[in-house]
Every structure is written in structure tokens, then in C-alpha cells.
Amino acid sequence: MAAAETLTMGKALNTGLRRAMEHDDKVLIMGEDVGKLGGVFRITDGLQKDFGEDRVIDTPLAESGIIGTAVGLAIRGYRPVCEIQFDGFVYPAYDQIVSQVAKIHYRSGGKLSLPIVIRIPFGGGIGAVEHHSESPEAYFAHTAGLKVVSCANPDDAYWMIQQSIESDDPIIFMEPKRRYWEKGEVNYDAAALPLHASRVVRAGTDATVIAYGPMVRTALDAAAAAEEDGRSLEVIDLRTLSPLDMAPVYDSVRRTGRAVVVHEAPGNLGLGSEVAARITEECFYSLEAPVLRVTGFDTPYPAARVEEEYLPDLDRVLDAVDRSYGF
């Protein structure tokens, strides 16, 4: 294998899943159409052909059954990777996730582990219909016993899916579906960043923009546009939503004095609320303005034709930065 390769995020996830299956024959993939079809986004394309129907399993259309089966498999020593076909389809499995997956380790006094990865394509930007473009990450980040991560580029996708599968904790793996086709370099020889770590993806001095998943690209585009106007924005990719890794955020905000948090989910009780609260608690005397949020609106996700009015974009991020400078 070459030391580095340019891949789409979808292909990087596929390659990471393949490496995990080669490394450990206890790794199984389960979900609707993940086998012969290779998933609706083709993330598992070719894996059933190469690893067989016993390890890449086409399940019934029953999310509760998928997760319930994965619980039993994990207790017996397997490492199931469950695909939820679209974000809005996860709710039939919500009971299993928060009542069983999140709690068995604690309930058993640490005797039982559930190394389950639940892959969820999330967010908008693909022009889909109802229940196909949602951002449910806050439900899971709020639930003790679950860890929640989100990749934003192909290199992270490749490494983070393998790290999640190797983890003995249950992990909700949020994949920004509109970024599946974006390309980037995957470095196979580099040391991977720890799974539960945020990082600065663009250095800056005038304000800190914090994002994750699909909004990282939007934040980077906003920073590039701001640079043309002489304003330097630092961009941080959270990567891990539970637990949050706030140290790089605090360090950045103490230097810039301003913070804007960006995500697609509605603002009310979203991840941005927690990030803003923590920044205010830890960096109060460094702040030149309140921490501002740029989010989806507090409405059900709209029909596909008007989703661009709902989703945060470059202009809304730059407007928040301008408002921060207005204080």
C-alpha cells in the first residue's frame, strides 16, 4: 500500500472498515442493504463479496432489531458495526441504544462491555426527503454511557472508524453524508490523532470558529473568505462530541477573545449550547464578546427545495463574526 492516497470520504470509510475486518475476524457489519448493494451510499461496497455473508449481514428493515442483535453479539465477544441507513431512521432503535447499549457496562459493574459502533449518516445538503436529513447527535451526546464522534475529512474517516471499532465502549459514529464525495489525502503511515481529541485545522488570530462534521468545510470556507477582508479566523474541528475535548478550544479563545460555534442541528439545546457554556465558564475574562452560535433553525428539517435556507452557510458564519466585533 502507498504511504498516502487521495480518496473520497466514502472510500476512506470503506477502506477503514476493510482494514478493521482484516485485523479482527470478530468484526461484523450489519444493516439494511449493506451487503449485496454495498449500502445506499456504497460505504460497504465489496465487503460482503470479500468477507462473506456471515460477516457482512443484510438485515431486515428493523433498526431496533439491528441494535438488539448487536447487543447480544457484543456480549458474546463480537464487534458489530451497525449501519443506520439515514439519520432519521435511528429513532426506532433509540430505546435499544439508550436503555441497553449505553447502560449495560455500568449496570454490570464493568463486567460486560459492548464494543458496538453505530454508523449514522447525518445532516443535510443532499436534497433528500423527510427523515433523510437530520442532526440527532445531541440526543446521544446527552446520554451517559455513549461516546459520540464525527469525522470531517477522508483522513479522519479512515482512522476514526478503525479506532472506534477497536474501542471497548459503544460509539455513535456520525458521518456527514454530504461530504462523502469530497476528496482528501489519507496518510497510511502517519500516527493517528487520538479518537477523542479536537484539533485546530486552520490557525488564526482574530476569532475562533468551532465546528464538527459537515460544518468544518463551511467554517474553513468562511475563514478563507474572511482572510480576503483582512480578518484571521482560527477553525477548530471538535471531532469528538462526547466526551468533548475542550483544551484546544480554550487555548484558542484565550488568544482570540472571540468564539463562534457552528452546527446544522437546531440551536435549542444543541451541542453549541454546551460548548458556549464551557467557554464562558473557563475563558470569561478573555472574552471580548459573548460566544455566538450559528445553527439550524428550531423547526423540523424543511423540504429539500428550501434546505439551503435552513442550513448554516458561509455568509451566516461571517455575519456572526461581524456581530462579535460589534460588541
Side-chain angles (χ1 to χ4, degrees):
M1 178 185 293
E5 188 175 5
T6 298
L7 300 176
T8 64
M9 180 183 288
K11 184 61 176 177
L13 286 164
N14 177 280
T15 305
L17 288 167
R18 180 178 294 276
R19 298 291 173 266
M21 296 186 76
E22 290 170 345
H23 177 72
D24 186 351
D25 61 10
K26 293 293 186 181
V27 176
L28 309 176
I29 293 175
M30 331 164 40
E32 299 160 8
D33 297 319
V34 298
K36 289 181 172 61
L37 182 65
V40 292
F41 294 105
R42 304 300 186 266
I43 305 302
T44 54
D45 187 42
L47 297 181
Q48 188 182 74
K49 177 177 67 70
D50 294 339
F51 293 97
E53 296 183 10
D54 291 338
R55 294 190 64 195
V56 182
I57 304 160
D58 281 317
T59 67
L61 305 183
E63 286 77 14
S64 181
I66 294 169
I67 303 303
T69 302
V71 169
L73 286 165
I75 289 173
R76 295 300 299 270
Y78 291 91
R79 292 182 175 269
V81 181
C82 304
E83 178 180 297
I84 303 297
Q85 201 169 67
F86 284 91
D87 35 38
F89 297 177
V90 74
Y91 303 112
Y94 188 74
D95 182 17
Q96 294 281 2
I97 294 171
V98 302
S99 300
Q100 305 297 330
V101 175
K103 296 186 171 60
I104 283 181
H105 183 72
Y106 183 84
R107 186 186 303 148
S108 68
K111 292 184 174 67
L112 296 176
S113 296
L114 291 186
I116 298 172
V117 176
I118 300 172
R119 294 179 43 242
I120 305 177
F122 82 119
I126 64 168
V129 296
E130 189 180 30
H131 306 310
H132 289 67
S133 297
E134 300 186 15
S135 297
E137 59 270 21
Y139 294 121
F140 303 112
H142 179 73
T143 302
L146 297 175
K147 293 185 175 179
V148 185
V149 301
S150 181
C151 53
N153 59 68
D155 194 64
D156 269 352
Y158 172 78
W159 291 109
M160 290 173 72
I161 191 64
Q162 295 179 77
Q163 292 168 319
S164 296
I165 293 169
E166 291 171 359
S167 172
D168 288 332
D169 295 312
I171 292 182
I172 308 296
F173 195 93
M174 310 297 294
E175 301 171 4
K177 67 171 84 76
R178 69 158 134 167
R179 306 302 184 194
Y180 277 147
W181 300 277
E182 293 185 3
K183 293 182 178 181
E185 185 175 274
V186 176
N187 192 333
Y188 299 116
D189 289 342
L193 195 68
L195 179 62
H196 298 293
S198 58
R199 70 172 166 195
V200 175
V201 292
R202 180 184 174 116
T205 57
D206 296 336
T208 302
V209 180
I210 302 135
Y212 59 86
M215 285 289 103
V216 174
R217 169 52 52 195
T218 303
L220 288 168
D221 290 343
E227 186 177 33
E228 296 178 2
D229 295 328
R231 187 168 283 166
S232 173
L233 304 185
E234 183 146 294
V235 179
I236 295 180
D237 179 1
L238 285 177
R239 299 177 76 253
T240 175
L241 310 183
S242 182
L244 286 165
D245 174 29
M246 295 296 292
V249 177
Y250 298 152
D251 178 68
S252 177
V253 173
R254 288 184 181 118
R255 286 186 289 101
T256 68
R258 304 176 191 278
V260 175
V261 192
V262 187
H263 58 66
E264 288 189 13
N268 185 46
L269 299 178
L271 262 293
S273 302
E274 179 66 22
V275 173
R278 294 197 191 189
I279 292 172
T280 302
E281 290 174 358
E282 295 293 329
C283 305
F284 183 78
Y285 291 106
S286 299
L287 287 169
E288 301 290 340
V291 181
L292 300 179
R293 291 172 291 159
V294 180
T295 71
F297 299 110
D298 294 323
T299 67
Y301 192 91
R305 289 185 180 180
V306 293
E307 71 174 356
E308 292 305 321
E309 302 298 324
Y310 175 89
L311 292 170
D313 60 11
L314 178 152
D315 289 333
R316 286 178 61 193
V317 174
L318 293 179
D319 178 66
V321 174
D322 289 342
R323 284 190 288 122
S324 177
Y325 271 85
F327 284 91

